[in-house]
Amino acid sequence: MVDDPWSSALHRLWQAASRAEEVAALADDVYAPLLATPGVHRVVGTRWDGRHVLRYMRALSAGSDTPVIVATTRSMPGAAVREPGGEPVVDRLEPDGLDDAVWPEAAFLREAPGGAVVSCTFRLDQRGWAALALAVDASADLAAVESRLTQAVDVIVACHTGILQRGREARRGADDALLAEASLQMDSSLDVEDTLRRVARIAVPAVADGALVHLARTEGPEFVAATHVAVQQQRALEAAGRDDPWLAALLARRGEDEDTVFLSGAALDGSPFAAPASPTIADADSGEGPHPTVVTISPLRARGRVLGTITFVYQRPEARLPDSAFLRSLATRAALAIDNALLYELRRTAVLSLQEHLLPSQLPVTDRWDLSASYAVGDPMLDVGGDFYDAVLRPDGSIALLIGDVCGRGAEAAALTGLARHTLRTLLEEGTDAGTALSRLNRALRQERASRFLTAVVATLTPRTDGTVRLSTCSAGHPPPLVLRGDGTVSEVLSGGLLLGVLDDVSYESRDEHLTADDTLVLFTDGLTESREAGGTFFESVLPARLSALRGSDAAHIAESLARQARAFRDSGQDDIALLVARWTGLPPDSGLLPPDHRLEQAALR
């Protein structure tokens, strides 16, 4: 005989299962058709976790629309004998023979008229199992009842599996999105400390309730960052990250682990995360609140070495804990971001150190010249720049100022920078005139077959008996210097000459001007004038006004102010900026300088 009512009910059950977001939503679609089976008087369902704790029980009798629902956390070790293995287990039992320590649903089943219980226990997942039990009378076809019961269980298991699968897919999508966002956030900074703070912040609260980041050092793990969803607990977490010996000893051994370590329960004994938690970890104010239940420690590995560890603290249900694969991926991305930041810092330090060695450690100190220089690196990651400057005291009592710029950056540019500065310095110290010094440098570059050209200018300052200074300027394709007069006017020192390193035989001529007391000579590289704002204007167009506003200032203030203004002005351009400033005082050192008028400087900035 075709069982149309049950077939229709089973079809509806499958449809409901495909839409259900939780298994409990299927209860009505499961219980009602089972109770409609001839001879079935009561259906009781139970749900258990892996520790034989009863979480949920639902009972419904034939003819009733109101189920009895019990939500509990009742531990029943005796129920272990019922826990199924891989396949569902169907049993036929006598109601009076049910052990209440094993069957919490026994009381409901005994109340039903009839003389048999048909039960099916089945596993939902690794963390739990469930059971459906039917109280039937003597008229029931037990084979048919068992068949319907196992079919209903098949739907429940399939529904639960589908829910878990959809949950995993949603979780995987969320995890992928979080990992992508984490990469963007961590990669957006090349500052080591900022990157480490971002690593800690990006995972809280999305991944964990708290996070600690340590770097691996020879002397032991170094705490660098911590964050927690609760401010009080963050303070306690920071204290544990800095000073806790249990955590320090554990982290020191973590470089031996290839993957994330999960710690809970007894494994946390003696730690600042153990239960009962100390007031500083659980709740810094009241000593109350959720205890950390799980701690994970993931090594931060990049380029085959351990950079440190990231420790997550969880105060959330086990189902919301991330898996090892996710934590491994997050740790890998964090390690790469930290490694990039560390490499950037090392490179930046090396570039700045090399750049310093290509420049004079100090400028000459004289009683009539106020000398100062400024050097601003455009971008350390672009490698060593080719800007250089120097000041040389000459045998005849004059002083020679030189500044230059090698085309390009990198090792070759650095080599030519050193060659150019030291060649010019040596020749000028020996008393060689500027034109000859530039010609000999050009010859040396051609003999070395240098693939780069460079520009340079040498300004020789010779005091006269009338208190003025003869300014003799010799240029090889370099931006012309500027003279700031004592009255605030600014003029350009006209000079010309071919670039160095282009042709074999080149001669250079000098042009003379004069300076009086309080006049200032400013030499610079094109990084200053070619700084460009968003609208396309070059700093060169505003430089005379900015320099004029600095009249009365000493050489150091002029050099630093112009460099700072150019950096603030530019929206594009990464070139280095070098400035060399000489102010002729014509006065003894104890006479003092004119006080700078900062109102003029501020007005020029507007």
Side-chain angles (χ1 to χ4, degrees), residues 249-265:
L250 182 66
L251 295 181
R253 300 193 300 268
R254 289 288 65 85
E256 304 168 4
D257 297 314
E258 294 293 330
D259 205 350
T260 297
V261 176
F262 284 75
L263 303 173
S264 61

Side-chain angles (χ1 to χ4, degrees), residues 317-349:
E318 184 179 350
R320 291 179 56 200
L321 296 181
D323 58 26
S324 296
F326 173 82
L327 292 175
R328 182 168 54 251
S329 182
L330 181 61
T332 298
R333 295 171 189 237
L336 290 174
I338 294 171
D339 190 50
N340 285 337
L342 289 171
L343 288 174
Y344 175 85
E345 185 64 26
L346 289 173
R347 184 182 180 90
R348 178 178 179 275
T349 301

Side-chain angles (χ1 to χ4, degrees), residues 132-257:
L132 269 179
L134 310 181
V136 301
D137 61 23
S139 67
D141 181 344
L142 294 182
V145 170
E146 288 182 0
S147 176
R148 294 186 179 189
L149 182 58
T150 55
Q151 288 176 351
V153 166
D154 286 343
V155 178
I156 294 172
V157 172
C159 176
H160 185 72
T161 301
I163 291 171
L164 291 180
Q165 179 63 29
R166 291 193 294 275
R168 283 192 292 267
E169 291 175 354
R171 178 80 172 267
R172 187 159 47 245
D175 287 349
D176 289 345
L178 177 62
L179 289 172
E181 178 64 20
S183 294
L184 289 174
Q185 290 291 329
M186 292 184 293
D187 292 344
S188 63
S189 174
L190 286 174
D191 179 84
V192 175
E193 292 187 2
D194 184 53
T195 300
L196 292 168
R197 287 192 294 268
R198 287 169 183 255
V199 169
R201 288 198 303 264
I202 197 68
V204 175
V207 176
D209 299 281
L212 286 162
V213 180
H214 288 79
L215 283 180
R217 302 296 191 193
T218 305
E219 59 276 12
E222 176 189 349
F223 166 78
V224 289
T227 188
H228 198 282
V229 291
V231 175
Q232 294 87 352
Q233 294 192 41
Q234 177 166 333
R235 297 194 189 103
L237 201 60
E238 290 174 351
R242 288 191 180 93
D243 305 320
D244 185 76
W246 180 94
L247 184 60
L250 182 66
L251 295 181
R253 300 193 300 268
R254 289 288 65 85
E256 304 168 4
D257 297 314

Side-chain angles (χ1 to χ4, degrees), residues 46 54-55 57 153 208 228 248 257 389 413 441 461 487 502 523 527 530 535 538 553 585:
T46 54
L54 178 64
R55 294 292 182 180
M57 184 160 58
V153 166
H228 198 282
D257 297 314
Y389 62 83
L441 173 59
L461 304 168
D487 61 1
V502 177
L523 293 81
E530 293 180 3
F538 288 98
S553 300
T585 65

